[in-house]
């Protein structure tokens, strides 16, 4: 871990943190999900650097060691896309591979659509490509579904505010490691779905939790609740919704995302290739939503095989 270097890139008035390792000519940029941070990619960064790649993992604005925007509630996916462009420009990188996990998937897909000349390929974990547009979740899922709860201004703030940041991350990691959708009863909050004595997943250590807890203690959850949860369904007015670059989707076989309405059919049918024609899909059968931390060696091999094919 000591080999990973840390620096800051100025994007407008904000200083955005990036972790970096490796000096190879081919660059891989990792985009984290929630409740993650650059650190969630450390297994992959070390492996790729050892294989001759340059690996970079930013913290989004308002996450981890990056500055928070002055008005977090106005942050959108467009800000994340512009930040990514300015980061790779500031580092004088012409082309990159993008690897996105969870809500890091959409920026990877969308960046490849908006800047195809800058992207050699896209790998996403846990999230297939769905073009931006109005969310239909409220039509198919009860009001206690975690995304609907966290989309409501003030609801998650009050729920999270009962605990320190480390406990919030602990509870979300446990929830998202399950195979069921997190859905609370009418008079229950999402954090109450995890009992205090529930153990951490076996692959997630107390040291890992302490690292995440300290980073979220610094950043808080204001921006994290805004992006992704309160910007789901934003329309980016894409000129063409097709992802044309080579793309690999890696799914854990026990990922709760399979329970989202229509997602399993989308992933396991040819339908998804209508919008992602150069798509490969592979599964880690015992994997949950956190395959990069749960099965790092297996995931690293899948990533390296894709990179070798497209460099």
């Amino acid at each position: 871990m000591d080999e990973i270097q840390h620096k800051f890139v100025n994007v407008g008035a904000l200083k955005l943190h990036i972790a970096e390792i490796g000096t190879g000519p081919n660059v891989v940029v990792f985009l984290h999900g929630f409740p993650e941070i650059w650190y969630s990619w450390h297994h992959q960064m070390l492996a790729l650097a050892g294989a001759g790649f340059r690996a970079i993992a930013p913290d989004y604005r308002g996450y981890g060691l990056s500055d928070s925007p002055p008005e977090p509630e106005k942050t959108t996916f467009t800000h994340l896309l512009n930040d990514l462009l300015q980061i790779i420009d500031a580092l004088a990188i012409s082309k990159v591979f993008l690897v996105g996990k969870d809500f890091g998937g959409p920026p990877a897909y969308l960046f490849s659509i908006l800047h195809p000349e800058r992207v050699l390929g896209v790998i996403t974990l846990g999230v297939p490509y769905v073009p931006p547009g109005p969310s239909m979740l409220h039509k198919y899922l009860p009001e206690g579904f975690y995304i609907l709860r966290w989309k409501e201004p003030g609801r998650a703030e009050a729920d999270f505010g009962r605990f320190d940041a480390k406990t919030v991350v602990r509870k979300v990691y446990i929830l998202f490691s399950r195979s069921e959708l997190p859905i609370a009863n009418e008079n229950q909050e999402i954090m109450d779905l995890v009992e205090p004595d529930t153990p951490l997943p076996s692959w997630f250590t107390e040291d890992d939790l302490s690292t995440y807890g300290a980073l979220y203690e610094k950043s808080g959850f204001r921006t994290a609740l805004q992006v992704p949860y309160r910007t789901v369904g934003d329309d980016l007015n894409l000129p063409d919704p097709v992802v044309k670059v080579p793309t690999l989707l890696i799914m854990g076989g026990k990922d709760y995302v399979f329970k989202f309405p229509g997602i399993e059919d989308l992933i396991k049918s040819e339908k998804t290739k209508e919008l992602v024609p150069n798509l490969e899909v592979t599964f880690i059968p015992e994997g949950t939503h956190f395959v990069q931390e749960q099965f790092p060696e297996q995931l690293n091999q899948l990533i390296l095989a894709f990179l070798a094919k497209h460099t």
Side-chain angles (χ1 to χ4, degrees):
M1 287 289 291
D2 291 342
E3 313 95 286
I4 295 176
Q5 304 296 308
H6 298 269
K7 64 177 69 171
F8 291 85
V9 173
N10 292 318
V11 175
L14 302 180
K15 290 185 180 298
L16 301 186
H17 168 254
I18 66 167
E20 180 176 9
I21 187 171
T23 58
N26 294 304
V27 182
V28 182
V29 177
F30 292 91
L31 304 174
H32 65 78
F34 177 82
E36 292 146 300
I37 222 73
W38 77 266
Y39 176 82
S40 67
W41 296 113
H42 68 275
H43 296 295
Q44 286 68 49
M45 296 178 72
L46 293 169
L48 265 62
F53 291 87
R54 182 180 178 189
I56 297 170
D59 289 337
Y60 303 126
R61 58 172 58 205
Y63 280 79
L65 297 175
S66 290
D67 286 348
S68 292
E71 297 180 280
E73 290 74 19
K74 293 185 177 180
T75 304
T76 67
F77 271 103
T78 299
H79 288 109
L80 302 193
L81 293 166
N82 290 338
D83 291 348
L84 177 56
L85 179 62
Q86 292 195 54
I87 287 170
I88 63 175
D89 281 347
L91 298 175
I93 300 167
S94 60
K95 293 178 183 288
V96 297
F97 287 95
L98 296 174
V99 182
K101 153 74 170 43
D102 185 66
F103 93 86
Y109 292 126
L110 296 171
F111 192 86
S112 78
I113 292 172
L114 295 170
H115 306 285
E117 75 286 354
R118 308 296 294 273
V119 181
L120 294 165
V122 167
I123 301 173
T124 60
L125 316 182
V127 176
Y129 174 62
V130 178
S135 172
M136 296 289 110
L137 292 174
H138 63 285
K139 291 190 174 183
Y140 301 104
L141 292 164
E143 67 81 28
F145 180 53
Y146 79 101
I147 290 179
L148 299 178
R149 286 286 183 87
W150 292 352
K151 191 176 180 67
E152 179 185 338
R155 184 75 181 253
E157 286 86 342
D159 187 10
F160 290 8
R162 297 177 294 153
F163 308 98
D164 60 22
K166 182 178 177 180
T167 302
V168 172
V169 173
R170 180 183 182 279
K171 286 175 174 283
V172 177
Y173 251 86
I174 291 169
L175 271 180
F176 286 4
S177 296
R178 296 171 177 170
S179 296
E180 307 84 33
L181 292 176
I183 298 174
N185 296 323
E186 185 176 351
N187 297 315
Q188 183 184 38
E189 298 301 326
I190 297 298
M191 292 292 96
D192 298 328
L193 292 172
V194 179
E195 295 294 336
D197 60 351
T198 306
L200 286 170
S202 60
W203 42 265
F204 192 70
T205 70
E206 287 290 341
D207 285 345
D208 293 332
L209 179 60
S210 294
T211 298
Y212 283 102
L215 291 169
Y216 276 99
E217 196 68 48
K218 175 203 170 290
S219 67
F221 295 97
R222 285 179 67 188
T223 309
L225 287 168
Q226 175 65 17
V227 179
Y229 298 104
R230 293 170 188 166
T231 51
V232 170
D234 282 2
D235 189 349
L236 300 181
N237 296 313
L238 295 176
D240 179 357
V242 176
V243 177
K244 296 176 181 175
V245 301
T247 304
L248 172 64
L249 170 62
I250 302 171
M251 293 293 303
K254 297 183 177 181
D255 194 330
Y256 75 91
V257 170
F258 277 116
K259 302 290 177 61
F260 278 63
I263 289 297
E264 184 166 8
D265 288 342
L266 177 65
I267 292 170
K268 293 186 176 179
S269 72
E270 290 297 307
K271 185 179 177 184
T272 189
K273 291 193 175 182
E274 294 173 9
L275 290 171
V276 194
N278 295 313
L279 174 68
E280 300 174 56
V281 182
T282 192
F283 300 91
I284 298 177
E286 295 301 311
T288 63
H289 195 56
F290 299 100
V291 288
Q292 84 278 24
E293 294 172 281
Q294 185 183 11
F295 293 109
E297 292 183 8
Q298 193 171 345
L299 186 78
N300 294 346
Q301 291 306 311
L302 291 171
I303 292 174
L304 287 168
F306 178 85
L307 297 177
K309 193 183 300 184
H310 298 288
T311 51

